[in-house]
Amino acid sequence: MTEAPIRAGMPKGFRSAELGWPELDRIPHPPHRIPLLGDVVGVNRRTPLQDSLRYARRLGPVFRRKAFGKEFVFVWGARHTADLADESRFAKHVGLGIANLRPVAGDGLFTAYNHEPNWQLAHDVLAPGFSREAMAGYHPMMLDVARRLTEHWDRAAGAGRTVDVPGDMTKLTLETIARTGFGHDFGSFERTRPHPFVTAMIGTLTYAQRLNTVPFPLAPLLLRSATRRNAQDIAHLNRTVDELVRARRTDGGGQGDLLDRMLETAHPVTGERLAPQNVRRQVITFLVAGHETTSGALSFALHYLSRHPDVAARARAEVDRVWADAAEPAYEQVARLRYVRRVLDESLRLWPTAPAFAREAREDTVLAGEHPMRRGAWALVLTPMLHRDPEVWGADAERFDPDRFDARAVRSRAPHTFKPFGTGARACIGRQFALHEATLVLGLLLRRYELRPDPAYRLRVTERLTLMPDGLRLRPERRSAVREPASELRCPVPGAGD
Ligand code: HEM
């Protein structure tokens, strides 16, 4: 197994961008820069992304921010982002929040450096786990988890209660990836408090985020107790995953899920297999990467549906038409929900839940013919701003309008203008999984409930490496015409109740 050196609290890759930009002075930065501290006036430690969006609006498509002596270059202009998508000149940069996750996810797919051989090995071994056939195999398990959600929402609807949308979507997406990927059941819907694995996972994500906002030399001092807790969280994650793997090795029974692939599949060309420590890292990677982002996407979509009754009615009419009398949709009936999918895309446009990705120059080059970059220099693409570039999305880019994603509108836009899943070789391997799961769940919820918003709620966005609507509650109301799923159509789920 290859492991890049990690310095405690400051992973490799967490270099300031400034060294690689010979003409950095030409790139605008916020006013009122304070010596040593940098651009800290008016910033909020809890909302670094939303602060960057504010600066982006003022400073233009390429700008920089300096915090605690480190300079970062941000890019959001469509032309500049398209240039960064050129795989022959740029690649993924593992830095900031992602590099901070190396102590827990190591050379797992998401956090691997480009040069680490385990990236290609794991990518080739696991990519078939996201094929159409694999997805069709996950569909019944996704339905089974969704049924646990609707049982929970039915009880709330019966009592006239509101539901905690991000909380419930997080339970749903965690159970879905755990079940489909690893045959595991965290029992999230049956618990009153989160599973300890979930608490540990959130702990490590929060810690990784905090490391970004504390001046590096002071991190060991300021975060001493948080660092100790983080080590305990990582140990808990490792123990849980090791137990899961041990159980699979002794009991078998994964029926070709991701864990089976990780343990048993050899690389088609080299015959190599993933080493045990790498399997552990991949399991943690998929459990983390496979749920928070989709949960946020579903939550934002439900927020917009509840606020746009006309859009909800159109989406619901589509579901009723496409699914007709089926008690539960077949796999193919999900892809046919074209308008529901547009609702999801438009929600991901406004709030791409993994809101930035970093690109580094493979060689000395010039970004969009304007900004020289040396080999290794990098920039952060601010996806929520790219998705609001007025040159692409018009002056009303803030308006929620799913028709921006009808086929003709999509064809008329330049490539690389919609990037919620990143770009190139390191783009999201779970894209189809997320889209199938989220479209299915939105379809099920639209068909079963009217979604009543709290009129006083104003969208607030929390940041924890991923984005989530804060405090969003809805009151689901059962629609009278909804059919109960016939019990004989329920799909038996291997490993249910594990
Ligand atoms: C709406 C949901 C999702 C969004 C918005 C999203 C977004 C992204 C983005 C932007 C990247 C690229 C990051 C970078 O360049 O640094 C990425 C990579 C990745 N995602 Fe997702 N993701 C989602 C769902 C999922 C799911 C469901 C899974 C697994 C089942 C998953 C697994 C991964 C993995 C393993 C990578 C790393 C790929 C590699 O580098 O080879 N994601 N995702």
Side-chain angles (χ1 to χ4, degrees), residues 92-94 98 108-112 114 119 123 130 177 180 258 282 285-298 344 348 351-359 383 419-423 425-435 437-438:
K92 167 163 169 157
H93 174 74
V94 176
I98 296 185
L109 267 185
F110 191 70
T111 40
N114 297 317
W119 178 77
H123 176 83
F130 294 92
I177 183 65
T180 54
L258 285 178
Q282 303 296 359
T285 295
F286 277 90
L287 286 173
V288 175
H291 90 283
E292 280 245 330
T293 42
T294 314
S295 159
L298 272 163
L344 192 60
L348 278 168
W351 296 108
T353 47
F357 57 91
R359 303 283 289 166
T383 331
K419 293 260 130 183
F421 293 98
T423 198
R426 302 293 302 269
C428 182
I429 197 171
R431 178 174 176 271
Q432 290 306 338
F433 184 103
L435 292 174
E437 178 186 7

Side-chain angles (χ1 to χ4, degrees), residues 33 126 144 154 163 175 188 230 269 282 313 344 348 365 413:
R33 187 166 266 195
L126 298 177
D144 188 59
D154 281 358
V163 290
E175 291 300 329
S188 303
N230 187 50
V269 178
Q282 303 296 359
L344 192 60
L348 278 168
T365 186
R413 275 193 294 273

